[in-house]
Amino acid sequence: ARQARTLYLEKLDIYTIEPVAFNTEASEYAPVLNPDGTLVFTSDRPTGTGEENYKWTGRKFSDLFVTTASAPDANLMDPVINTIANEGTACFSSDGQTMFFTRCGLSVDIADAYCKIFYTQKTNSVWTEPVALNFQKEQINYMHPCMAANDSVLFFISDNEKGEGGFDIYYTEWVDQSWSEPERLGRRINTENNEKFPFMFADT
């Protein structure tokens, strides 16, 4: 917090910030760059999948969209990824061939649908049917995947009752061709409040 305040007070004119052309009146969040140069983000804009509205927001269920920074609009990602459920908060392996994302509920009739992390792989330019990560348990939320630069560690959040309270940040490691049982980051990171949307820049 002290470092962030110092940077804020310095008022460095390093960046120019301006809205992109593909924003809408709906929510657009959790943007991530795919190594192929495209930008993937989450939105509940009217062009999303399905006919129903999400009861919590009154808007469409969220989906993953793809675009480029200079494009005037964005397109839905493949139908195999976007369903009538809420999809969002994606991350990619360093080669862009594997994508992890959150999917919450598989039916519009579920009032309190739990969230799980899925992964899909690109084969001949087509994304495969998403599969849920193997360590996830029922009636626990797993969300907001974020991959470390070496592709062997995946950070995410969960409201597991063994946590510090609310949502905490966990990590799992790729060992012997499978993801390990998750470990919670320590109390220097996690608190009794909600920690969400972890982000990695290289190994930071």
Side-chain angles (χ1 to χ4, degrees), residues 157-170 184-187 189-196:
I157 69 160
S158 178
D159 60 356
N160 192 316
E161 63 181 10
K162 297 179 180 178
E164 299 297 332
F167 284 94
D168 289 326
I169 300 175
Y170 290 73
R184 187 177 72 253
L185 294 184
R187 293 180 179 177
I189 300 293
N190 289 317
T191 69
E192 68 276 8
N193 299 307
N194 290 322
E195 280 72 42
K196 293 184 177 182

Side-chain angles (χ1 to χ4, degrees), residues 147-155 171-175 178-180:
M147 179 155 275
N150 61 6
D151 287 354
S152 66
V153 178
L154 186 72
F155 295 92
Y171 71 93
T172 176
E173 298 182 90
W174 182 250
V175 180
S178 66
W179 292 103
S180 66

Side-chain angles (χ1 to χ4, degrees), residues 81-121:
I81 294 170
N82 289 316
T83 68
I84 59 172
N86 281 308
E87 282 88 21
T89 52
C91 72
F92 292 90
S93 59
S94 57
D95 62 4
Q97 298 303 297
T98 302
M99 181 177 74
F100 298 84
F101 66 95
T102 305
R103 177 178 285 164
C104 302
L106 294 175
S107 169
V108 295
D109 297 324
I110 298 176
D112 295 310
Y114 288 90
C115 300
K116 297 289 183 282
I117 297 171
F118 287 73
Y119 73 93
T120 175
Q121 295 175 303

